[in-house]
Amino acid sequence: LVAILFDELLKALDAMAAAIRRGDLGQRGTRQARALSILHGLEGSLDFEKGGDIADGLSAIYREARRLTIAGGRANDAEQVMQAREMLGEIASAWEQIG
């Protein structure tokens, strides 16, 4: 399930960045909302008692990805969105290798 969520998250971020580049504010907002929803879900699923430092680290990455996604949407800056995508892409790759 986590791998599927990451796949959908990366697609949403790619689509958001593309919409920003095209100037399509409607799609930008729709894709941003999707990405933020998935990020909240991923962070909400972390078990901080069992996950320890790993859960703390993932939480920090998810928060930074949310910050970049929001900032990129506000500024119509696809580069910030792609920075978030790059960070999350590394985690997604690790999940693919596990599953």
Short mmCIF file of all heavy atoms in Angstrom, two decimals, residues 56-97:
data_model
loop_
_atom_site.label_atom_id
_atom_site.label_comp_id
_atom_site.label_asym_id
_atom_site.label_seq_id
_atom_site.Cartn_x
_atom_site.Cartn_y
_atom_site.Cartn_z
N ASP A 56 10.91 9.42 12.92
CA ASP A 56 11.20 10.84 13.09
C ASP A 56 11.77 11.44 11.80
O ASP A 56 11.39 12.53 11.39
CB ASP A 56 12.17 11.07 14.24
CG ASP A 56 11.56 10.81 15.60
OD1 ASP A 56 10.32 10.87 15.74
OD2 ASP A 56 12.34 10.54 16.55
N GLY A 57 12.69 10.71 11.19
CA GLY A 57 13.30 11.18 9.95
C GLY A 57 12.30 11.29 8.81
O GLY A 57 12.29 12.28 8.07
N LEU A 58 11.46 10.27 8.68
CA LEU A 58 10.44 10.30 7.63
C LEU A 58 9.45 11.44 7.86
O LEU A 58 9.06 12.13 6.92
CB LEU A 58 9.69 8.96 7.56
CG LEU A 58 10.47 7.80 6.96
CD1 LEU A 58 9.70 6.50 7.14
CD2 LEU A 58 10.78 8.05 5.49
N SER A 59 9.09 11.65 9.11
CA SER A 59 8.17 12.74 9.43
C SER A 59 8.76 14.08 9.01
O SER A 59 8.06 14.93 8.43
CB SER A 59 7.86 12.73 10.93
OG SER A 59 6.98 13.78 11.26
N ALA A 60 10.03 14.29 9.27
CA ALA A 60 10.69 15.53 8.89
C ALA A 60 10.72 15.70 7.37
O ALA A 60 10.50 16.80 6.85
CB ALA A 60 12.11 15.57 9.47
N ILE A 61 10.97 14.62 6.67
CA ILE A 61 10.98 14.67 5.20
C ILE A 61 9.59 14.99 4.67
O ILE A 61 9.44 15.82 3.77
CB ILE A 61 11.51 13.35 4.61
CG1 ILE A 61 13.01 13.21 4.92
CG2 ILE A 61 11.26 13.28 3.10
CD1 ILE A 61 13.58 11.84 4.64
N TYR A 62 8.58 14.36 5.22
CA TYR A 62 7.20 14.64 4.78
C TYR A 62 6.82 16.09 5.05
O TYR A 62 6.17 16.73 4.21
CB TYR A 62 6.21 13.70 5.46
CG TYR A 62 6.39 12.24 5.14
CD1 TYR A 62 5.96 11.26 6.04
CD2 TYR A 62 6.98 11.81 3.97
CE1 TYR A 62 6.11 9.91 5.76
CE2 TYR A 62 7.14 10.46 3.69
CZ TYR A 62 6.71 9.51 4.58
OH TYR A 62 6.86 8.18 4.31
N ARG A 63 7.21 16.62 6.20
CA ARG A 63 6.92 18.03 6.51
C ARG A 63 7.61 18.97 5.53
O ARG A 63 7.03 19.94 5.06
CB ARG A 63 7.32 18.37 7.95
CG ARG A 63 6.35 17.85 8.99
CD ARG A 63 6.61 18.46 10.37
NE ARG A 63 8.00 18.38 10.79
CZ ARG A 63 8.53 17.36 11.47
NH1 ARG A 63 7.79 16.33 11.81
NH2 ARG A 63 9.80 17.39 11.82
N GLU A 64 8.87 18.68 5.23
CA GLU A 64 9.60 19.52 4.28
C GLU A 64 9.00 19.40 2.88
O GLU A 64 8.89 20.40 2.16
CB GLU A 64 11.09 19.14 4.26
CG GLU A 64 11.93 19.93 3.28
CD GLU A 64 11.99 21.43 3.53
OE1 GLU A 64 11.50 21.92 4.57
OE2 GLU A 64 12.54 22.14 2.66
N ALA A 65 8.58 18.22 2.49
CA ALA A 65 7.95 18.04 1.19
C ALA A 65 6.64 18.83 1.13
O ALA A 65 6.32 19.45 0.11
CB ALA A 65 7.70 16.56 0.91
N ARG A 66 5.88 18.82 2.22
CA ARG A 66 4.64 19.63 2.27
C ARG A 66 4.97 21.11 2.15
O ARG A 66 4.31 21.84 1.42
CB ARG A 66 3.86 19.36 3.56
CG ARG A 66 3.00 18.14 3.51
CD ARG A 66 1.92 18.12 4.58
NE ARG A 66 2.35 18.51 5.91
CZ ARG A 66 2.85 17.67 6.82
NH1 ARG A 66 2.96 16.38 6.54
NH2 ARG A 66 3.21 18.11 8.00
N ARG A 67 5.99 21.56 2.87
CA ARG A 67 6.37 22.96 2.82
C ARG A 67 6.74 23.37 1.40
O ARG A 67 6.29 24.40 0.89
CB ARG A 67 7.55 23.23 3.76
CG ARG A 67 7.89 24.72 3.88
CD ARG A 67 9.25 24.94 4.53
NE ARG A 67 10.37 24.52 3.70
CZ ARG A 67 10.81 25.19 2.63
NH1 ARG A 67 10.21 26.29 2.23
NH2 ARG A 67 11.85 24.74 1.95
N LEU A 68 7.55 22.56 0.73
CA LEU A 68 7.96 22.86 -0.64
C LEU A 68 6.77 22.83 -1.60
O LEU A 68 6.68 23.67 -2.50
CB LEU A 68 9.02 21.86 -1.10
CG LEU A 68 10.41 22.04 -0.50
CD1 LEU A 68 11.27 20.82 -0.78
CD2 LEU A 68 11.07 23.30 -1.03
N THR A 69 5.86 21.90 -1.39
CA THR A 69 4.69 21.79 -2.26
C THR A 69 3.79 23.01 -2.10
O THR A 69 3.31 23.58 -3.09
CB THR A 69 3.92 20.50 -1.93
OG1 THR A 69 4.79 19.37 -2.15
CG2 THR A 69 2.69 20.34 -2.81
N ILE A 70 3.58 23.43 -0.87
CA ILE A 70 2.75 24.62 -0.62
C ILE A 70 3.44 25.87 -1.18
O ILE A 70 2.82 26.69 -1.86
CB ILE A 70 2.44 24.75 0.88
CG1 ILE A 70 1.51 23.62 1.32
CG2 ILE A 70 1.84 26.12 1.19
CD1 ILE A 70 1.37 23.47 2.82
N ALA A 71 4.73 26.01 -0.89
CA ALA A 71 5.47 27.19 -1.36
C ALA A 71 5.50 27.23 -2.89
O ALA A 71 5.34 28.29 -3.49
CB ALA A 71 6.88 27.18 -0.80
N GLY A 72 5.71 26.08 -3.50
CA GLY A 72 5.73 26.02 -4.96
C GLY A 72 4.39 26.40 -5.57
O GLY A 72 4.32 27.08 -6.60
N GLY A 73 3.31 25.98 -4.92
CA GLY A 73 1.98 26.35 -5.40
C GLY A 73 1.72 27.83 -5.26
O GLY A 73 1.20 28.48 -6.17
N ARG A 74 2.09 28.39 -4.13
CA ARG A 74 1.87 29.84 -3.89
C ARG A 74 2.66 30.69 -4.87
O ARG A 74 2.18 31.71 -5.35
CB ARG A 74 2.27 30.20 -2.48
CG ARG A 74 1.26 29.80 -1.45
CD ARG A 74 1.63 30.35 -0.08
NE ARG A 74 0.66 29.87 0.89
CZ ARG A 74 0.94 29.58 2.13
NH1 ARG A 74 2.17 29.73 2.59
NH2 ARG A 74 0.01 29.15 2.94
N ALA A 75 3.90 30.29 -5.12
CA ALA A 75 4.79 31.09 -5.96
C ALA A 75 4.73 30.68 -7.43
O ALA A 75 5.44 31.27 -8.25
CB ALA A 75 6.22 30.97 -5.45
N ASN A 76 3.91 29.67 -7.74
CA ASN A 76 3.90 29.11 -9.11
C ASN A 76 5.32 28.76 -9.54
O ASN A 76 5.77 29.11 -10.62
CB ASN A 76 3.24 30.07 -10.10
CG ASN A 76 1.76 30.10 -9.93
OD1 ASN A 76 1.12 29.07 -9.75
ND2 ASN A 76 1.18 31.28 -9.97
N ASP A 77 6.02 28.04 -8.66
CA ASP A 77 7.41 27.67 -8.86
C ASP A 77 7.53 26.15 -8.95
O ASP A 77 7.53 25.45 -7.94
CB ASP A 77 8.25 28.21 -7.70
CG ASP A 77 9.73 27.92 -7.84
OD1 ASP A 77 10.14 27.30 -8.85
OD2 ASP A 77 10.49 28.33 -6.94
N ALA A 78 7.62 25.66 -10.18
CA ALA A 78 7.72 24.22 -10.40
C ALA A 78 8.98 23.63 -9.79
O ALA A 78 9.00 22.46 -9.41
CB ALA A 78 7.65 23.91 -11.89
N GLU A 79 10.04 24.44 -9.67
CA GLU A 79 11.30 23.94 -9.13
C GLU A 79 11.15 23.48 -7.68
O GLU A 79 11.70 22.45 -7.29
CB GLU A 79 12.38 25.02 -9.24
CG GLU A 79 13.75 24.54 -8.79
CD GLU A 79 14.27 23.33 -9.56
OE1 GLU A 79 14.00 23.21 -10.77
OE2 GLU A 79 14.93 22.48 -8.93
N GLN A 80 10.40 24.20 -6.88
CA GLN A 80 10.20 23.79 -5.49
C GLN A 80 9.41 22.47 -5.43
O GLN A 80 9.71 21.60 -4.60
CB GLN A 80 9.46 24.87 -4.70
CG GLN A 80 10.33 26.09 -4.46
CD GLN A 80 9.63 27.11 -3.61
OE1 GLN A 80 9.43 26.87 -2.42
NE2 GLN A 80 9.26 28.24 -4.21
N VAL A 81 8.45 22.34 -6.30
CA VAL A 81 7.67 21.10 -6.36
C VAL A 81 8.58 19.94 -6.75
O VAL A 81 8.52 18.85 -6.18
CB VAL A 81 6.49 21.24 -7.35
CG1 VAL A 81 5.74 19.93 -7.49
CG2 VAL A 81 5.56 22.37 -6.91
N MET A 82 9.48 20.18 -7.70
CA MET A 82 10.39 19.12 -8.13
C MET A 82 11.42 18.79 -7.05
O MET A 82 11.87 17.65 -6.97
CB MET A 82 11.06 19.51 -9.45
CG MET A 82 10.07 19.61 -10.62
SD MET A 82 8.92 18.19 -10.75
CE MET A 82 10.05 16.88 -11.19
N GLN A 83 11.76 19.76 -6.21
CA GLN A 83 12.65 19.46 -5.07
C GLN A 83 11.96 18.49 -4.12
O GLN A 83 12.58 17.53 -3.63
CB GLN A 83 13.02 20.74 -4.32
CG GLN A 83 14.00 21.62 -5.04
CD GLN A 83 14.24 22.93 -4.32
OE1 GLN A 83 13.62 23.23 -3.29
NE2 GLN A 83 15.13 23.75 -4.84
N ALA A 84 10.68 18.73 -3.87
CA ALA A 84 9.91 17.81 -3.02
C ALA A 84 9.85 16.44 -3.67
O ALA A 84 10.04 15.41 -3.00
CB ALA A 84 8.49 18.35 -2.79
N ARG A 85 9.62 16.42 -4.97
CA ARG A 85 9.52 15.14 -5.69
C ARG A 85 10.82 14.37 -5.61
O ARG A 85 10.83 13.15 -5.44
CB ARG A 85 9.15 15.40 -7.15
CG ARG A 85 8.71 14.13 -7.84
CD ARG A 85 9.35 14.02 -9.19
NE ARG A 85 8.80 12.88 -9.91
CZ ARG A 85 9.30 11.66 -9.83
NH1 ARG A 85 10.32 11.39 -9.05
NH2 ARG A 85 8.77 10.67 -10.52
N GLU A 86 11.95 15.07 -5.73
CA GLU A 86 13.25 14.41 -5.67
C GLU A 86 13.48 13.75 -4.31
O GLU A 86 13.93 12.61 -4.23
CB GLU A 86 14.35 15.42 -5.97
CG GLU A 86 15.73 14.80 -6.07
CD GLU A 86 16.79 15.81 -6.46
OE1 GLU A 86 16.53 16.64 -7.34
OE2 GLU A 86 17.87 15.76 -5.85
N MET A 87 13.17 14.49 -3.24
CA MET A 87 13.32 13.94 -1.88
C MET A 87 12.47 12.68 -1.71
O MET A 87 12.93 11.67 -1.20
CB MET A 87 12.86 14.97 -0.84
CG MET A 87 13.73 16.16 -0.69
SD MET A 87 13.06 17.44 0.41
CE MET A 87 11.93 16.63 1.45
N LEU A 88 11.23 12.79 -2.14
CA LEU A 88 10.30 11.67 -1.97
C LEU A 88 10.59 10.52 -2.92
O LEU A 88 10.32 9.36 -2.59
CB LEU A 88 8.86 12.17 -2.16
CG LEU A 88 8.44 13.20 -1.11
CD1 LEU A 88 7.19 13.93 -1.57
CD2 LEU A 88 8.25 12.55 0.24
N GLY A 89 11.17 10.83 -4.07
CA GLY A 89 11.52 9.79 -5.02
C GLY A 89 12.53 8.81 -4.45
O GLY A 89 12.48 7.61 -4.74
N GLU A 90 13.45 9.30 -3.63
CA GLU A 90 14.44 8.43 -3.00
C GLU A 90 13.76 7.44 -2.04
O GLU A 90 14.12 6.26 -1.99
CB GLU A 90 15.49 9.25 -2.28
CG GLU A 90 16.37 10.06 -3.21
CD GLU A 90 17.36 10.93 -2.47
OE1 GLU A 90 17.71 10.62 -1.31
OE2 GLU A 90 17.81 11.93 -3.06
N ILE A 91 12.80 7.93 -1.30
CA ILE A 91 12.07 7.05 -0.36
C ILE A 91 11.22 6.06 -1.15
O ILE A 91 11.17 4.88 -0.80
CB ILE A 91 11.20 7.88 0.59
CG1 ILE A 91 12.07 8.82 1.43
CG2 ILE A 91 10.38 6.97 1.51
CD1 ILE A 91 11.30 9.85 2.20
N ALA A 92 10.60 6.53 -2.20
CA ALA A 92 9.77 5.65 -3.03
C ALA A 92 10.60 4.52 -3.63
O ALA A 92 10.17 3.37 -3.67
CB ALA A 92 9.08 6.45 -4.15
N SER A 93 11.80 4.86 -4.05
CA SER A 93 12.70 3.85 -4.62
C SER A 93 13.05 2.79 -3.58
O SER A 93 13.10 1.59 -3.89
CB SER A 93 13.97 4.52 -5.14
OG SER A 93 14.87 3.58 -5.63
N ALA A 94 13.28 3.24 -2.37
CA ALA A 94 13.59 2.28 -1.29
C ALA A 94 12.39 1.36 -1.04
O ALA A 94 12.56 0.15 -0.84
CB ALA A 94 13.97 3.03 -0.01
N TRP A 95 11.18 1.89 -1.04
CA TRP A 95 9.99 1.07 -0.85
C TRP A 95 9.82 0.05 -1.97
O TRP A 95 9.40 -1.08 -1.73
CB TRP A 95 8.73 1.93 -0.73
CG TRP A 95 8.48 2.38 0.66
CD1 TRP A 95 8.68 3.63 1.18
CD2 TRP A 95 8.00 1.58 1.74
NE1 TRP A 95 8.35 3.63 2.51
CE2 TRP A 95 7.92 2.39 2.88
CE3 TRP A 95 7.62 0.23 1.85
CZ2 TRP A 95 7.50 1.92 4.12
CZ3 TRP A 95 7.20 -0.24 3.08
CH2 TRP A 95 7.13 0.60 4.20
N GLU A 96 10.15 0.46 -3.20
CA GLU A 96 10.05 -0.47 -4.34
C GLU A 96 11.00 -1.64 -4.15
O GLU A 96 10.67 -2.77 -4.47
CB GLU A 96 10.36 0.26 -5.64
CG GLU A 96 9.26 1.15 -6.14
CD GLU A 96 9.62 1.88 -7.42
OE1 GLU A 96 10.52 1.38 -8.16
OE2 GLU A 96 9.02 2.92 -7.69
N GLN A 97 12.19 -1.35 -3.64
CA GLN A 97 13.17 -2.42 -3.43
C GLN A 97 12.73 -3.38 -2.34
O GLN A 97 13.02 -4.56 -2.40
CB GLN A 97 14.54 -1.82 -3.12
CG GLN A 97 15.14 -1.09 -4.29
CD GLN A 97 16.45 -0.40 -3.95
OE1 GLN A 97 17.02 -0.61 -2.88
NE2 GLN A 97 16.93 0.41 -4.87
#
